[in-house]
Amino acid sequence: MSSRFFTTDALVIGSMRYSEADRIITLYTKERGKISAVAKGVRRTKSKVGGRLEPFSLVKMSLHSGRGSLYTVVGVETVRTFQGVRDELFRMEEGARLLSAVRHLFPGEEASAPAFNLLVRGIARLSECEDAPTAAGIVLATRLKLLVLMGYAPEVTQCARCGGDGPLYGYSPGLGGVVCDSCVEEAGASCFALSNGAVATLQTLCQNSLAEIKDLELDDRATAEVEQVVAQTLAFHGH
Amino acid sequence: MFSPTVQKLVDELSKLPGIGPKTAQRLTFHLLKLSPEDALPLAHALIEVKEVVRFCDRCFNLTEQDLCDICRDLGRDQASICVVEEPGDIISIERTHEYRGLYHVLGGALSPLDGVGPEKLHLAELADRVRDEETREVIVATNPTMAGEATALYIVEELRHFVNAGTLRITRPAAGLPMGGDLEYADEVTLGRALAGRREL
């Protein structure tokens, strides 16, 4: 078989309608990172692949690379559907946040098996979680860990500008970490205040495994602040 | 490359779904070759459709009057509403001849992935209709995609108090194998749903 064909494990991270009955699927693949592919005829009710290409599905996919940047889906086998994510609105909303982070954070074709495995673990945990706060914690932790894997780990123990241990004021996405009172002015307009609880939550989420998140009692206010840290960091580094 | 008028037509045609710049050029040259008697009816039809066709005040189906033909038909079951994403879906359901109730067109589906929230759809109007029209059944016939499923879950949440009060039941068309299909080629999600929703024979 020609080298234009290849098979890889892939997670469906986005899908949009295209042409009469086709879809353009965005995938995060184990071997080539983020790619887009045309799945022909999958919107027809008799398509045998349509149901396998919904977002959050983990599949083994055969692809063909044509002349352009778009691949063509040749065959799909389901590995796991993670149906639990689609069964509850709160899981779906949190899952959407995670997939959106992946779409923005990763550049084009750049494979990262650890990021792929982390993403699959994050979605697996999300599909099993019982309540909305746990779902939010799992997705927040997964996004944070993805940032760490990409080399954008936020500095949370000392001032990201001067390295001092002085009283910490807030977070600067541009400097990539917390800043102390005396560095606030130099940190720029994007710097925002952060409570001590939020800094502790940031450290907890970075250090604990995804399996442990459900047992943590996360403070709502601190979690909201960490959400801002992650969202702003993603916006700063995203593509 | 083209005169401004020709370029304008190419640009306008290439805004249509499925039409790229090349096809737009081909269509433009075809239209230029036609006699005025053959080309102008298209222009008139476009103007007329935009001036005359509008959304039904009640169900948001396409109509040329305040209410669509289905809403005006008092012979239909006034106590059941079938919720669909687009007006085109009504045609598909009507072709089955299995449903004789009313419709409600949402104008799309909730898509957390694309930032389409409830405020962009006719969801509030659906809740108003269920309350005002004393609806007994809502059939959520949104597409079996993630966006369609999210919309169905949202509708269930929004109308839950009517269900709890015992005045409404919410149903969803069965998901399963297409007629004429081969079990061997069915995907796992569809086959799983078909088994979960199996019925007594």
Side-chain angles (χ1 to χ4, degrees), chain A residues 56-68:
Chain A
F56 303 110
S57 296
L58 176 64
V59 293
K60 189 173 275 297
M61 186 175 280
S62 300
L63 294 147
H64 176 257
S65 61
R67 280 176 299 172

Side-chain angles (χ1 to χ4, degrees), chain B residues 57-181:
Chain B
D57 288 345
R58 190 181 182 192
C59 73
F60 302 98
N61 187 10
L62 295 174
T63 177
E64 295 185 13
Q65 299 174 37
D66 291 345
L67 290 179
C68 69
D69 291 348
I70 294 172
C71 286
R72 283 204 312 273
D73 183 354
L74 296 176
R76 299 185 76 107
D77 179 3
Q78 303 290 312
S80 81
I81 297 177
C82 179
V83 182
V84 293
E85 289 181 19
E86 302 292 346
D89 299 334
I90 293 181
I91 315 277
S92 305
I93 295 177
E94 284 294 289
R95 268 199 229 114
T96 65
H97 302 293
E98 289 284 334
Y99 178 68
R100 289 290 299 161
L102 304 176
Y103 290 92
H104 188 85
V105 183
L106 295 173
L110 285 180
S111 180
L113 290 179
D114 304 312
V116 179
E119 70 288 345
K120 293 189 178 160
L121 307 174
H122 300 299
L123 282 161
E125 290 89 341
L126 174 65
D128 291 345
R129 280 186 69 186
V130 170
R131 186 190 62 232
D132 299 341
E133 298 175 17
E134 296 179 359
T135 307
R136 286 197 304 274
E137 180 174 8
V138 166
I139 303 167
V140 187
T142 49
N143 289 328
T145 57
M146 204 193 82
E149 296 290 320
T151 313
L153 291 171
Y154 183 87
I155 289 172
V156 171
E157 283 300 314
E158 286 295 289
L159 303 180
R160 190 178 294 281
H161 57 285
F162 294 107
V163 178
N164 291 343
T167 58
L168 178 75
R169 73 183 192 125
I170 304 175
T171 56
R172 184 139 174 75
L177 302 166
M179 290 301 290

Side-chain angles (χ1 to χ4, degrees), chain A residues 3-8 31-32 35 61-63 65 71:
Chain A
S3 61
R4 279 173 172 257
F5 287 93
F6 70 100
T7 301
T8 178
E31 290 173 21
R32 301 206 180 187
I35 60 170
M61 186 175 280
S62 300
L63 294 147
S65 61
Y71 290 82

